[in-house]
Amino acid sequence: MSPSDQPESTKGSDLGIMSFGEHLEELRKRLGWALIVPLPLAIVLFFFAPYLRELLIAPLFASLRANGQTMQVQALSPAETITTDMKLAVIAALSVSAPWLLYQLWKFVSPGLYAHERRYVHFLTPLSSVMTLCGIMLFYWVLLPFTLLFLVSFGAARARTVPMTPAAVAPDGTAADAPAAPQPFAFPLLAEDPAQPKP
């Protein structure tokens, strides 16, 4: 075996083997280095979360506009807005810092690889990065708008055509003893919010 074919961990070492504790120490060190970039980046991106939200919901609003629907989203709990911003900040930070995280993973793994195994990384890594960016762009500009347009138009069409059978209700608000003959009706679609909505 030539020196260039030896794993990096064996070069300059008599034993060429790391103990389990040394592996854990190396892993701890690499995890520490890996978190140096995404954690501060997530804190910074939290303040830009409204812009990230606008970017992500733009295809949804385009689909709603194309189907004549109200362009709005709802927060269903008091904490949902801030938790959404936190999730967006963390996901964006992990996405942006992915090259750094992969580099730290490579620094942990590479000492145990032979030279002929390490050389594949030099062309696989750039190619993988390009393919990942192409996949993200294809999803955001082609697949996501098409999917949202289909789902929103399907939901709007179903709301116009699905018949419902109302329950018989007495004038005092209780269920009537003798139910009236069922009369199918469809959900009404309003162009704007009603002035005085009834419960």
Side-chain angles (χ1 to χ4, degrees), residues 151-164 186-187 189:
L151 293 175
V152 171
S153 62
F154 182 79
R158 294 287 289 177
R160 292 189 187 97
T161 59
V162 173
M164 298 295 291
F187 290 112
L189 293 178

Side-chain angles (χ1 to χ4, degrees), residues 55-67:
L55 179 69
L56 290 176
I57 63 177
L60 173 62
F61 280 3
S63 300
L64 290 172
R65 187 184 314 110
N67 285 280

